[in-house]
Amino acid sequence: MSLTPREEKVFNSILQWESSYFEYEPSDFEATYERWVKQQLNQLNPALIEKMNNGIDSALFHVHALIQNSRHQMDVRERLLSEARIFHPEAEEIEDLKVCSVDQLTYIAQQQIARSRMLSLAQGGLSGTGGLLLLGIDIPAMIALQVRSIQYIAMNYGYDIQKPYEMMMSLKVFHASTLPKRYQHESWDELMEEISNGETDSFFYVGDESVADISWLSMPLRQGIKGLIITMLKKKVVQGIPLLGVLFGAGMNYQKSREVTEFAHKFYQKRFLMDKQL
């Protein structure tokens, strides 16, 4: 099936986004930082790295299970279907959202993306106060928010994350979107290849179920450095509030949320249009 002129226009805009987004030229500071991170990771024992990766994979699956079984998740599903019925009254299941146009689904997705970014902003601001408890839960809270955001985007385009295949795809999109920029292009191409191999209709996932790898470990390391900076900034208080720490934490988490949701939205938008061509 060929795309409509409007769908062609959206598809071409995604291709243009790919060309600009993956033409990444790190600054001198970023290049130095990335070399330092790589050196630190290369010094780790391979057995320890494998153990950490397995632990991260297990944690991500547990995060998915908690989100999937939450009442909030059910509410989001119903809200998505209610919004889709404005355009197509016959929408009863998540897969039925695929009958909507790409513009209609983009409009619905943008509402949820905006809410997700504001949640990340608030969560980052709370961690920026420098409290030990809030700093301690910053990484798991940020991961949970980002995984949830990606799953909402997936459902928005008609991909039900209650299916094992779609659950794994959402976690792989999370992994790719949180990698350092220099690794993202390769991961994007792998995702594109995976959805092009004709197995996207499978209920169960038959590929490699591992998510975390050594390149992804720089993400929690960056978050740890962020925590150290917040700890130093909490001494700078304005009327009893560590304002600089709050602004720094909120800004960092909002920026990361913006990058993750943009990556995920472009992926599922392109996947939606590619499926239309089958």
Side-chain angles (χ1 to χ4, degrees):
M1 182 186 299
S2 60
L3 298 178
T4 65
R6 176 56 189 164
E7 289 170 341
E8 285 280 3
K9 186 174 181 180
V10 174
F11 191 83
N12 289 333
S13 72
I14 297 172
L15 296 181
Q16 291 175 0
W17 173 84
E18 288 182 56
S19 297
S20 60
Y21 183 82
F22 294 118
E23 284 184 0
Y24 171 64
E25 290 293 337
S27 65
D28 291 340
F29 174 78
E30 289 174 321
T32 302
Y33 170 75
E34 291 294 347
R35 283 196 298 270
W36 177 80
V37 169
K38 188 175 182 180
Q39 289 173 357
Q40 302 308 307
L41 294 177
N42 287 337
Q43 291 176 10
L44 295 177
N45 188 302
L48 176 61
I49 292 176
E50 183 178 0
K51 186 176 181 179
M52 291 171 63
N53 288 339
N54 292 336
I56 292 171
D57 283 346
S58 177
L60 287 176
F61 287 121
H62 281 92
V63 166
H64 165 79
L66 288 172
I67 295 172
Q68 182 177 349
N69 296 323
S70 68
R71 179 60 200 174
H72 183 70
Q73 181 80 317
M74 298 299 105
D75 291 342
V76 168
R77 293 174 70 90
E78 287 304 315
R79 184 168 69 243
L80 282 173
L81 290 170
S82 296
E83 293 175 343
R85 290 188 195 110
I86 296 174
F87 307 109
H88 290 275
E90 69 274 17
E92 297 293 337
E93 303 292 339
I94 288 297
E95 288 88 348
D96 295 338
L97 271 72
K98 293 181 180 180
V99 302
C100 296
S101 71
V102 67
D103 286 331
Q104 291 166 348
L105 293 180
T106 298
Y107 172 79
I108 297 172
Q110 287 174 340
Q111 313 308 307
Q112 183 57 51
I113 288 171
R115 287 189 285 265
S116 297
R117 291 178 181 178
M118 291 308 296
L119 279 174
S120 292
L121 181 75
Q123 186 264 317
L126 287 174
S127 68
T129 60
L132 289 179
L133 176 61
L134 293 173
L135 277 176
I137 65 173
D138 180 55
I139 294 179
M142 189 188 71
I143 289 175
L145 286 174
Q146 291 175 355
V147 169
R148 190 174 71 173
S149 297
I150 292 171
Q151 292 180 347
Y152 292 167
I153 295 170
M155 290 191 295
N156 182 86
Y157 283 94
Y159 302 101
D160 193 346
I161 51 91
Q162 289 189 340
K163 294 182 177 180
Y165 180 89
E166 296 302 337
M167 180 270 289
M168 275 305 306
M169 284 302 299
S170 69
L171 292 181
K172 285 183 175 289
V173 172
F174 164 76
H175 167 262
S177 64
T178 51
L179 283 172
K181 270 289 188 69
R182 69 179 185 273
Y183 297 120
Q184 286 189 354
H185 197 178
E186 180 180 356
S187 294
W188 175 272
D189 289 342
E190 290 174 356
L191 288 170
M192 289 296 115
E193 182 179 356
E194 187 156 351
I195 63 175
S196 299
N197 64 12
E199 297 180 0
T200 56
D201 292 330
S202 302
F203 184 81
F204 293 105
Y205 188 84
V206 295
D208 182 9
E209 294 190 359
S210 61
V211 178
D213 53 28
I214 187 170
S215 60
W216 190 82
L217 291 179
S218 62
M219 183 268 205
L221 183 58
R222 288 197 304 271
Q223 291 301 111
I225 294 174
K226 185 187 81 174
L228 292 175
I229 295 175
I230 288 174
T231 301
M232 292 186 292
L233 290 176
K234 75 175 183 178
K235 299 176 182 179
K236 309 289 185 179
V237 297
V238 178
Q239 296 183 346
I241 300 175
L243 188 59
L244 290 179
V246 170
L247 292 175
F248 178 76
M252 288 287 290
N253 280 28
Y254 180 85
Q255 176 64 20
K256 178 51 67 176
S257 175
R258 189 187 67 79
E259 292 174 359
V260 169
T261 52
E262 179 184 31
F263 187 101
H265 189 217
K266 295 298 183 183
F267 169 78
Y268 280 106
Q269 202 174 42
K270 185 175 183 180
R271 182 182 176 188
F272 172 81
L273 293 173
M274 289 171 64
D275 287 347
K276 284 254 185 179
Q277 293 176 302
L278 297 179

